[in-house]
Amino acid sequence: MFATLSEFFAEYGELLFDGTIDTLIMTTVSTILAYVIGLPFGVLLVISAKNGIHPNPVIHTILGGIVNIVRSVPFIILLVALIPLTRFIVGTSLGIPGAIVPLVITAAPFVARVVEQSLSEVDGSLIEAAQSFGSSTIDIIFKVLLVESLPSLVRGVSLTFITLFGFSAMAGTVAAGGLGDIAIRYGYQRYQYDVMIAAVILCIIIVQIAQVLGDIIAKAIDHQEK
Amino acid sequence: MIQLENLHKSYGTGSTEHEVLHDINLTIESGEVFGILGSSGAGKSTLVRCINLLEQPTSGRVLINGFDVTNVQGRQLASLRSQVGMIFQNFSLFQQRTVLKNVTFALEIAGVAAPKRIERARYLLNLVGLEGFENRYPSQLSGGQQQRVAIARALANNPSILLCDEATSALDSTTTASILDLLHRINQELGVTLIIITHSLSVARNICDRIAMIDNGRIVEIGDTEELLSHPHSDILKTLVHNATIENHRHKDISSHDSVIRQDKLAIEDSLIREAQ
């Protein structure tokens, strides 16, 4: 055991710092890519819904089906099952790139549902008002739905980030690195609980920051009730 | 001029079919203030939404200035809608846009260039009495002010027709009177045809030249406002006029300051005094 905290950090500081950076890269990149895929899915789910601007039961059912199927597979299984696909896309199933592929695939349908939820909160009478002065479907998507739901969408981003943060710890099992990987290797395999506790504290701090930051931004840009 | 010919509207098909509008025939002259009176669920909202095609009629024709618009689509539909402004009971303002941007949005959709948008929006906000409110958000305004923004937005593209769907129903009586004043001015000064949906007799009496009484998706009575309200024929309008009279008596008892019904009150007071003598 270590006599002082400074000795502990001298020994493990760099490891924990690198782990934090790896986790942040994994989580941030996969959150962004998950939105690139999930956001259009969410928009399509909303506009093709029964009471949407362009009701289309076929598209709505197919999209909803895809989203539900991918969401039903537990992440740990997806992680292993996707190894061939991951190798095909990024050339390796290891490290950060290897973790990002399954993270994006598991998060995209989650994002689609989060976006769908946010856009559904937009008052239907606003869409009608926009239509009353001649807005097209594209106008309504980009100038009404996405603008009016922006604070809620921001909250969705921090929710997605935190969810992926948790999944990225599991991705540590494919040697992806990061705080989860450190906690498992040192805490579970080597019984070095101090390292594990330090990793967990870092996780708590990052999640808190993500949540508070999301709330602050969402509140700052929301003009609904002020 | 707006002509509705044999207009029908149903929702659903087969056994679940539900008729909302039945054989509506109506001509509204340019520059007129036309009231559509009826209780909730009578089909008033659906009827006016057939004019800007927010609702597609099941059958029948909608003609605006002699031009059949029933089946227009795409750019023609957008152009029709920019010519027919609309305001709503709950104002329907974009909460994440400032007052100015709510108005410029309608101009942006119509393809007006950015510098001109701001100029026009400022002129309109001035017209509705909201100069200095450009950078506020709707949530920072009172109901009456929000409806003024909505009116400015609806007038953005110089429409010849303004549809008012229960535009004063969410407002108190003093604010209602001031909004009706503004609508009256818009009709007089800009020559905009107003179509006023309301369930309120006092609103109809206050502003409408003519009224159509709607019940169960049918026009049951139509005529000049005064003529119709002093000699109602249909049971539903008789009941409405009767209830409004009782309501006025009650208002008198609690000495209300309702400017819309003030004249009615005075008339009743007159008759009470005469009775007492």
Side-chain angles (χ1 to χ4, degrees):
Chain A
M1 272 291 141
F2 296 93
T4 62
L5 215 55
S6 64
E7 250 178 87
F8 175 80
F9 280 115
E11 179 78 27
Y12 294 107
E14 202 183 331
L15 174 85
L16 289 166
F17 179 78
D18 289 347
T20 305
I21 297 296
D22 284 353
T23 295
L24 287 176
I25 291 173
M26 250 191 293
T27 314
T28 309
V29 172
S30 28
T31 302
I32 293 168
L33 293 177
Y35 266 86
V36 170
I37 301 168
L39 187 71
F41 264 70
V43 169
L44 284 174
L45 275 170
V46 170
I47 64 169
S48 65
K50 206 174 164 187
N51 53 0
I53 356 174
H54 268 287
N56 189 323
V58 177
I59 289 183
H60 190 76
T61 311
I62 291 173
L63 287 181
I66 294 172
V67 165
N68 289 345
I69 288 167
V70 181
R71 288 199 67 196
S72 334
V73 184
F75 179 65
I76 196 85
I77 294 170
L78 203 71
L79 197 60
V80 178
L82 284 179
I83 285 175
L85 180 72
T86 307
R87 281 212 186 103
F88 176 74
I89 294 175
V90 292
T92 174
S93 63
L94 299 176
I96 293 177
I100 285 175
V101 173
L103 281 173
V104 170
I105 288 174
T106 203
F110 176 77
V111 168
R113 287 294 182 211
V114 171
V115 169
E116 181 189 25
Q117 179 74 39
S118 293
L119 299 191
S120 312
E121 286 164 16
V122 175
D123 191 344
S125 72
L126 295 184
I127 292 162
E128 190 179 42
Q131 284 172 329
S132 82
F133 49 77
S135 304
S136 65
T137 302
I138 297 291
D139 291 330
I140 289 171
I141 293 170
F142 288 100
K143 294 170 180 171
V144 179
L145 288 177
L146 292 175
V147 174
E148 290 297 312
S149 65
L150 201 56
S152 175
L153 287 171
V154 168
R155 289 199 173 86
V157 172
S158 76
L159 175 69
T160 306
F161 181 90
I162 290 166
T163 305
L164 278 181
F165 185 86
F167 284 170
S168 80
M170 274 191 258
T173 53
V174 295
L179 290 172
D181 178 41
I182 291 169
I184 289 167
R185 274 195 290 134
Y186 286 79
Y188 182 69
Q189 289 163 354
R190 295 193 206 169
Y191 302 104
Q192 279 183 279
Y193 293 124
D194 46 0
V195 180
M196 187 184 74
I197 288 167
V200 169
I201 290 172
L202 282 168
C203 289
I204 293 171
I205 292 170
I206 291 169
V207 168
Q208 289 295 331
I209 290 174
Q211 183 67 55
V212 170
L213 209 61
D215 286 346
I216 289 174
I217 295 172
K219 212 169 169 211
I221 59 169
D222 191 357
H223 299 288
Q224 186 127 30
E225 277 159 49
K226 261 189 186 168
Chain B
M1 193 166 68
I2 303 160
Q3 288 159 284
L4 305 178
E5 291 180 353
N6 310 109
L7 208 69
H8 287 260
K9 174 71 185 177
S10 307
Y11 292 113
T13 46
S15 59
T16 61
E17 189 170 329
H18 169 60
E19 193 174 45
V20 189
L21 293 176
H22 180 84
D23 199 26
I24 301 287
N25 285 285
L26 193 60
T27 301
I28 299 169
E29 301 294 339
S30 294
E32 197 174 12
V33 181
F34 193 90
I36 295 173
L37 193 62
S39 44
S40 39
K44 311 186 291 286
S45 291
T46 310
L47 176 56
V48 297
R49 277 165 177 73
C50 286
I51 297 172
N52 62 357
L53 299 172
L54 283 177
E55 293 282 0
Q56 186 67 40
T58 310
S59 67
R61 296 205 301 165
V62 180
L63 291 97
I64 293 182
N65 298 326
F67 180 65
D68 187 347
V69 298
T70 323
N71 294 308
V72 297
Q73 278 177 337
R75 200 165 291 174
Q76 273 187 311
L77 178 62
S79 137
L80 163 76
R81 284 182 176 165
S82 74
Q83 285 312 299
V84 183
M86 188 165 188
I87 58 173
F88 305 85
Q89 178 170 3
N90 295 316
F91 325 126
S92 299
L93 295 179
F94 302 108
Q95 300 293 312
Q96 308 298 350
R97 291 171 185 267
T98 61
V99 165
L100 188 73
K101 291 207 167 135
N102 262 278
V103 182
T104 54
F105 184 23
L107 293 158
E108 185 185 336
I109 295 301
V112 177
K116 269 195 118 178
R117 278 181 225 158
I118 295 175
E119 191 188 322
R120 171 100 182 126
R122 284 187 190 281
Y123 161 77
L124 288 161
L125 288 170
N126 205 30
L127 180 82
V128 299
L130 283 181
E131 52 276 77
F133 286 82
E134 287 85 354
N135 296 320
R136 303 268 191 105
Y137 284 90
S139 61
Q140 299 169 313
L141 304 181
S142 70
Q145 288 168 333
Q146 290 191 51
Q147 194 60 291
R148 283 167 191 271
V149 178
I151 291 170
R153 184 180 67 184
L155 294 177
N157 296 305
N158 267 317
S160 53
I161 300 162
L162 181 61
L163 309 175
C164 309
D165 186 4
E166 297 278 12
T168 57
S169 299
L171 303 172
D172 64 55
S173 54
T174 317
T175 315
T176 295
S178 77
I179 292 292
L180 292 182
D181 276 350
L182 174 62
L183 290 174
H184 181 72
R185 250 181 60 214
I186 286 162
N187 171 253
Q188 292 295 307
E189 290 170 20
L190 306 177
V192 176
T193 308
L194 300 183
I195 298 177
I196 312 267
I197 296 187
T198 185
H199 65 268
S200 155
L201 217 50
S202 65
V203 167
R205 178 173 290 153
N206 193 284
I207 191 169
C208 300
D209 301 324
R210 282 199 302 148
I211 296 176
M213 178 77 210
I214 309 277
D215 188 36
N216 259 325
R218 293 156 203 261
I219 296 181
V220 291
E221 217 167 337
I222 185 164
D224 286 342
T225 306
E226 267 186 38
E227 171 83 28
L228 211 65
L229 295 187
S230 44
H231 303 103
H233 293 290
S234 63
D235 288 343
I236 178 117
L237 190 55
K238 277 181 189 164
T239 314
L240 212 60
V241 171
H242 179 71
N243 289 348
T245 316
I246 294 170
E247 186 77 1
N248 284 356
H249 279 287
R250 202 178 299 143
H251 273 283
K252 180 183 168 290
D253 290 343
I254 58 167
S255 67
S256 144
H257 296 291
D258 191 335
S259 62
V260 178
I261 60 157
R262 197 174 294 152
Q263 287 187 329
D264 304 337
K265 250 177 62 186
L266 287 175
I268 293 159
E269 274 165 10
D270 271 356
S271 64
L272 288 176
I273 290 165
R274 248 178 274 128
E275 272 170 36
Q277 285 166 350

